[in-house]
Amino acid sequence: MTHHRVKRAWKYKAEIMDELRRNQLIATYRDGLLNDTLPFWITHSVDRQHGGFMTSLNRDGTVIDTDKSVWQQGRFTWLLGELYNNVEQRDEWLELAKHGAEFLDQHCFDPSDGRMWFHLARDGSPIRKRRYAFSESFAAIAYGELAKATGEDRYAERAQQTFQRFIDHNLNPQGTQSKYTATRPTRDMGFPMITIVTAQQLRGSIELANADEWIDRSIDDIRQHHIKPDIQCVMETVQADGGLLDHFDGRTLNPGHAIECAWFIMQEGKIRGDQGLIQTGCQMLDWMWQRGWDQEHGGLLYFVDVNGLPVQEYWHDMKFWWPQCEAIIATLLAFQLTGDPKYADWHRQIHEWAHDHFPDPQHGEWFGYLHRDGSVSSQLKGNRWKGPFHMPRMQMTCWQMLSEQSP
Amino acid sequence: MTHHRVKRAWKYKAEIMDELRRNQLIATYRDGLLNDTLPFWITHSVDRQHGGFMTSLNRDGTVIDTDKSVWQQGRFTWLLGELYNNVEQRDEWLELAKHGAEFLDQHCFDPSDGRMWFHLARDGSPIRKRRYAFSESFAAIAYGELAKATGEDRYAERAQQTFQRFIDHNLNPQGTQSKYTATRPTRDMGFPMITIVTAQQLRGSIELANADEWIDRSIDDIRQHHIKPDIQCVMETVQADGGLLDHFDGRTLNPGHAIECAWFIMQEGKIRGDQGLIQTGCQMLDWMWQRGWDQEHGGLLYFVDVNGLPVQEYWHDMKFWWPQCEAIIATLLAFQLTGDPKYADWHRQIHEWAHDHFPDPQHGEWFGYLHRDGSVSSQLKGNRWKGPFHMPRMQMTCWQMLSEQSP
């Protein structure tokens, strides 16, 4: 997925993940991606009339809300470009990526301040902007893949500018009223974590000049403020100085999110051949797997309290699709990098739990929202949050990882 | 609960709700309120050190977050004053109501703009203000009860001023960035509905001069914009002109909220002896009971889609305590006002489902958050949203209603 990828042989032992199992997994991820996930979204979400993508889809793919999520415009465009650049140069994928970028260009930026919207009507009329700037990070990596696919400078410029807007707004938000007073300043892991993966992507697509610096700075931030060896935990939200915040917000852990961050850091270790980074990522995975894995029903819980107290968020014990996807990647990558059979075992557990519960046998793709016990809570295939991203990224990433061993 | 209450004899028929059943229900509500709910909150939530109330309580009453919700300061103060004025003049209740009002006075208003905060640290330092102004409506009724209990003008003035701030900010928000652009203006039922009950309370406590006007205006608003006879539904959010909004936000119904509004309107009909209002309230209850009652597991669902499509909110099919409490009041009041055995049946269903699933047999009070199947999702007794309000209000209101028949 980047120019710097270090090809490594699998360290697996035959008794842990044999050739048959590996080939079965490759088939599951590759065929799932190419024959199920992608056709579902390409068939149902492309808006030929107004441009861009509509991702609020019912179980059978019917559009049930024509509004557009700016996150999903960037994310689907990125996925299509990434597939074109790394899997196969299919004209359809490039054409659809350009279709997405055109909608981003035409409707997703607010000319009054240069920031991006969050939520648009079908025709591109703006409905909502958020205080934060993740629309920008997803658009940046989308432009980056198009720059690589087409060689056109304008996409590379857009990628770089949009990344800079993401950074600038997060470091120094202008024109937005803060949600909180200055009484209790906090820091969230979301910004440094998304900076890592965004810079990794842009290093791979447009050779972003200062990518390594942003990655180093973000990993330092996470190590300094969010990783807590004394309690063996990755904290999502801490005080400004990294101190634990003994309130709901500070105690609430998001194991799937921390495990996603873990594989971004492992991936950086793999690319740089840096064992320290690999160790940090594996440590984060170890702690948060212990805290998030549901011993009773299987799967990763959405939120847990660092001290085992009740969590305030209502959906704390639901099983969402994306934390499972991120943990499938993280456990497989940890196994690839360390050969530790524990990770092959965890990967098998989460892979099987997810594939037993999320796929829709009737209309394809995955449900997104299950109850704690694994029963389906919502038949939605997509909304403003669930689109063609976490699941196909998992399928693509795991397929590529498992294929690296081949000559 | 107001000066204007019209005493009405129960129209019940002996075979529908006989004397034995009625006495059992009175005992359940009264003893639950006086021997369980109130002692739980009085024992665990009163902050003798910094004033006010801490409502984030674990199952056994332990404070698990010392932060203070401004809503809950107003609500508990109101409840204590209401009990003092309408149940029994216990010194403890008056002393605690004053304790709550003092904290409201000292910490809950922002001197820079006169608006109220939403979330404070234990010592009263402000953490968050919201775009909306419901802190004001709850504080207003709290001050109103204290005015009535003490006869002190300052409380009456505070009540009136705070009600006016609630109205003014909702009609013409100043100093807050809107969440949405002007692309698609909408209106929510929350403001007119809370205006009704707030004006009802203040009419009863301080004889608020223009209470009837505000109530009429709010009921007109709800009838004109939110009640849809053609589809037999009460819409929570509509376009500015009342048109249906065919997007997630517009299609999402909140049956418990609409049923709460239904009993506010029935109550107004009861007070005024206005059959049209009673009919409107019963109609709202009928439609939303049909849409919200879970035929499979019992209890009221949190959100349902007007067209039966999937809902975007994750907790849509959970059973929260408060919609059940509001439906217990609404069905009992509808039965009292109409004698229709359907309502006695519904009341029995919701009363029994709630009392079978929410009470904590070990530490008292009710759990707040159940899965769809009625199993407990969170052991929390309170947080910034659940405090001593919906459940004790239900116990007090139903106890009083059932007692009205007695000579």
Side-chain angles (χ1 to χ4, degrees), chain A residues 58 64-65 67 126-128 175 177 179-181 183-184 247-248 251 312 316-317 371 377 383-384, chain B residues 56 64-65 67 126-128 175 177 179-181 183-184 247-248 251 310 312 316-317 371 377 383-384:
Chain A
N58 207 342
I64 59 169
D65 193 329
D67 284 354
I127 292 184
R128 188 176 182 190
Q177 282 180 343
K179 201 163 163 177
Y180 300 101
T181 66
T183 298
R184 188 190 288 160
H247 295 281
F248 283 121
R251 288 198 309 261
Q312 189 165 243
H316 67 103
D317 70 356
H371 298 121
S377 166
N383 55 19
R384 290 203 282 278
Chain B
S56 293
I64 60 169
D65 193 328
D67 284 355
I127 292 185
R128 188 176 182 191
Q177 282 180 342
K179 201 163 162 176
Y180 300 100
T181 65
T183 298
R184 188 189 288 159
H247 294 281
F248 283 120
R251 288 197 309 261
Q312 189 165 241
H316 66 104
D317 70 356
H371 298 121
S377 166
N383 55 19
R384 290 203 282 277

Side-chain angles (χ1 to χ4, degrees), chain A residues 56-59 64-67 117 119-122 125-129 131 175-177 179-184 246-249 251 302 309-312 314-318 320 369 371-373 376-380 382-385, chain B residues 56-59 64-67 117 119-122 125-129 131 175-177 179-184 246-249 251 302 309-312 314-318 320 369 371-373 376-380 382-385:
Chain A
S56 293
L57 306 182
N58 207 342
R59 181 178 180 179
I64 59 169
D65 193 329
T66 54
D67 284 354
W117 300 104
H119 175 184
L120 308 173
R122 184 177 179 185
S125 312
I127 292 184
R128 188 176 182 190
K129 195 187 285 169
R131 294 175 169 102
T176 53
Q177 282 180 343
K179 201 163 163 177
Y180 300 101
T181 66
T183 298
R184 188 190 288 160
D246 191 12
H247 295 281
F248 283 121
D249 291 353
R251 288 198 309 261
Y302 198 98
L309 293 170
V311 167
Q312 189 165 243
Y314 313 140
W315 61 97
H316 67 103
D317 70 356
M318 288 179 69
F320 282 34
Y369 306 94
H371 298 121
R372 181 175 177 185
D373 65 7
V376 174
S377 166
S378 170
Q379 305 227 322
L380 275 174
N383 55 19
R384 290 203 282 278
W385 307 99
Chain B
S56 293
L57 307 181
N58 207 341
R59 180 177 181 182
I64 60 169
D65 193 328
T66 54
D67 284 355
W117 300 104
H119 176 185
L120 307 173
R122 184 178 180 185
S125 312
I127 292 185
R128 188 176 182 191
K129 195 187 285 170
R131 294 175 170 103
T176 54
Q177 282 180 342
K179 201 163 162 176
Y180 300 100
T181 65
T183 298
R184 188 189 288 159
D246 192 12
H247 294 281
F248 283 120
D249 290 354
R251 288 197 309 261
Y302 198 98
L309 294 170
V311 168
Q312 189 165 241
Y314 313 139
W315 61 97
H316 66 104
D317 70 356
M318 288 178 70
F320 282 34
Y369 305 94
H371 298 121
R372 182 175 176 185
D373 65 7
V376 174
S377 166
S378 170
Q379 306 227 323
L380 275 175
N383 55 19
R384 290 203 282 277
W385 307 100

Side-chain angles (χ1 to χ4, degrees), chain B residues 204-234:
Chain B
S205 59
I206 62 164
E207 300 184 32
L208 181 75
N210 50 359
D212 285 2
E213 281 168 52
W214 279 113
I215 292 169
D216 289 342
R217 178 174 167 167
S218 301
I219 293 175
D220 284 351
D221 178 351
I222 291 166
R223 279 177 162 159
Q224 191 183 336
H225 299 113
H226 296 276
I227 296 180
K228 304 293 175 193
D230 53 331
I231 55 168
Q232 306 205 334
C233 194
V234 182

